[in-house]
Amino acid sequence: MEVTPCKDAASGWVWLTLPAGTEWPAGQPAEGVEVHSRIDPGLRRLHAALHTAGHLVDALARPHGFQHTGNNHFPGQARIEYAVDGAEFDKDELAATLTTGLDKAIAEALPVTAGEQDGRRTITIEGLATEFCGGTHVTDLGLLTDVAVRSVKVKSGRLRIGYTAEHAESAI
Ligand SMILES: [Zn+2]
């Protein structure tokens, strides 16, 4: 049965919803019933690549003085958002600077490690950033490929940096 994840931003809960018109199978799954789930390895690697690339884009963008306000790591719409707070910048120059930084960090294959701080999971890109995150990530930046700044847009004081990323082993 196909289910669709739906995240409630306020609570952080992720709900799995059934396709419209689907009847929940009578009597299951009740408490104690064994269920099986399956992870799509290719999709999992894509999410790991997008998540990690998002942290990397953020680590490179923040020193420009933008205040981070949100992320979206979903395939095809991955982006990081900031409040501009009056910072002056050229969008093309920012894209070029970020691209240079991305290429350098990926060429260096910087390690990506998980840790814990204040009881919450952290993710660290060595030498660049440590953030709280419960997501899936690659173990070093050398596993990222086709990472690019897709767009740099400013609207109503919000900077939106769109990006793309693939996993180097996604074809395996
Ligand atoms: Zn993450």
Side-chain angles (χ1 to χ4, degrees):
M1 181 186 307
E2 292 272 337
V3 293
T4 307
C6 176
K7 186 173 180 182
D8 177 34
S11 67
W13 280 91
V14 175
W15 308 96
L16 298 178
T17 57
L18 299 174
T22 306
E23 296 262 335
W24 189 253
Q28 60 170 310
E31 188 175 342
V33 172
E34 187 175 302
V35 296
H36 296 271
S37 61
R38 188 165 45 88
I39 291 172
D40 178 329
L43 189 58
R44 168 73 184 241
R45 280 193 282 266
L46 175 59
H47 281 296
L50 286 167
H51 235 273
T52 311
H55 289 290
L56 179 57
V57 170
D58 182 42
L60 297 168
R62 283 200 209 203
H64 291 266
F66 311 124
Q67 190 196 333
H68 182 247
T69 56
N71 312 309
N72 178 338
H73 299 302
F74 278 90
Q77 48 184 287
R79 61 180 183 266
I80 316 289
E81 296 184 3
Y82 302 88
V84 174
D85 287 339
E88 293 282 328
F89 66 100
D90 178 282
K91 286 187 280 187
D92 292 336
E93 260 178 47
L94 177 61
T97 303
L98 292 176
T99 299
T100 302
L102 290 169
D103 291 348
K104 181 171 182 286
I106 292 166
E108 289 172 351
L110 296 176
V112 180
T113 52
E116 193 182 310
Q117 191 178 315
D118 303 328
R120 296 170 65 192
R121 184 170 181 263
T122 59
I123 184 76
T124 296
I125 300 175
E126 191 174 288
L128 280 181
T130 296
E131 297 292 329
F132 290 116
C133 189
T136 180
H137 308 91
V138 299
T139 50
D140 76 70
L141 298 183
L143 289 167
L144 300 180
T145 188
D146 296 330
V147 179
V149 175
R150 170 167 65 78
S151 60
V152 176
K153 295 177 185 167
V154 179
K155 194 176 176 188
S156 307
R158 289 289 168 115
L159 166 63
R160 184 182 275 196
I161 302 173
Y163 68 94
T164 56
E166 298 285 340
H167 195 292
E169 296 171 358
S170 59
I172 294 173

